Amino acid sequence: MPNVSPLDVVYLHLSDIGWSKVVLWLLGGAFFIFLSSWGVARFGARHRYILRSPLSRQEQRMYKLLERAVPEFYIFPQVGFQSILDTPHSGDRMKSVARIMNKKSSFLVCDRQFNPLVSVEIDAWGGAEQGVQLRKEEILTEVGLPTLHVRWRKTMEEADIRKSLLQKSKRARQIIRKAEEASGMDLQS
């Protein structure tokens, strides 16, 4: 039996396939690699992201308005329900988690101990968004967190927002009343 090296085996196998096919496969692979690298260099990575503000312009204006209207409280934008709601450890837990998944409060107003007082929602103009907001309000009502719906207008006044917010939350009114008593000023107006 003749002594055959591994290179001889590869050479014999390639000659059976045909050198032209091997060359075509190598050229095709090189061309594919070139196109892939050219595409990445020309169009960027496969997943390209652009940094943006977490709040729309309307939401930014509303956030600033809320901060001025109720400076006694913390305002948190875009708070996920999973951050503020616990689910029961029962057989329906997964159903409860699914119900609050991907839902968030436009703005959450909290006292200085970070206890939620009111959820503020910028009202949708209608359609499917209204249904989502109703489901969100239903969930928050279930846990005793009132929801203040605000239809954005450029002419909104801080005093109107403050009055509406304090009407929605008994706890917020109590905190303001205590602060008034301590300072001797009228903070509710």
Side-chain angles (χ1 to χ4, degrees):
M1 182 174 200
N3 192 4
V4 180
S5 74
L7 269 174
D8 291 337
V9 172
V10 170
Y11 178 77
L12 289 173
H13 184 67
L14 289 177
S15 62
D16 287 343
I17 293 174
W19 285 103
S20 59
K21 287 182 182 177
V22 171
V23 170
L24 282 175
W25 274 102
L26 288 173
L27 285 175
F31 186 68
F32 177 76
I33 291 169
F34 168 76
L35 282 181
S36 297
S37 62
W38 177 76
V40 169
R42 180 155 166 87
F43 301 110
R46 237 173 77 194
H47 301 286
R48 186 167 180 161
Y49 301 100
I50 298 170
L51 189 62
R52 67 177 179 89
S53 172
L55 300 177
S56 69
R57 285 189 180 147
Q58 178 185 9
E59 290 168 330
Q60 290 172 26
R61 289 190 295 257
M62 187 63 176
Y63 177 82
K64 290 173 185 174
L65 181 67
L66 284 167
E67 273 195 323
R68 290 190 309 269
V70 285
E72 306 86 357
F73 304 120
Y74 293 131
I75 312 296
F76 297 100
Q78 305 297 334
V79 177
F81 279 20
Q82 288 181 298
S83 297
I84 59 171
L85 301 175
D86 270 333
T87 54
H89 293 284
S90 66
D92 289 344
R93 186 171 199 285
M94 293 313 289
K95 199 181 270 187
S96 297
V97 169
R99 191 169 173 225
I100 65 173
M101 182 102 38
N102 298 327
K103 287 186 176 58
K104 59 187 174 185
S105 173
S106 295
F107 298 97
L108 188 66
V109 179
C110 294
D111 64 17
R112 294 296 178 171
Q113 287 72 44
F114 300 95
N115 298 308
L117 298 171
V118 179
S119 172
V120 178
E121 293 295 326
I122 300 175
D123 270 346
W125 291 103
E129 276 293 313
Q130 242 176 350
V132 170
Q133 284 195 348
L134 288 174
R135 285 190 295 281
K136 286 168 39 172
E137 184 171 2
E138 179 184 299
I139 292 167
L140 295 177
T141 301
E142 204 176 293
V143 297
L145 185 65
T147 302
L148 173 64
H149 292 275
V150 178
R151 185 170 297 275
W152 175 255
R153 299 181 319 269
K154 288 186 179 183
T155 59
M156 294 179 88
E157 296 290 327
E158 294 165 20
D160 296 334
I161 292 290
R162 182 179 182 81
K163 182 178 176 183
S164 298
L165 195 138
L166 292 177
Q167 285 175 346
K168 277 288 182 181
S169 173
K170 180 180 178 182
R171 178 79 180 113
R173 286 191 306 273
Q174 291 170 342
I175 291 169
I176 296 295
R177 197 172 300 120
K178 259 187 179 172
E180 285 174 351
E181 290 170 1
S183 69
M185 297 174 63
D186 181 18
L187 301 175
Q188 289 193 33
S189 55

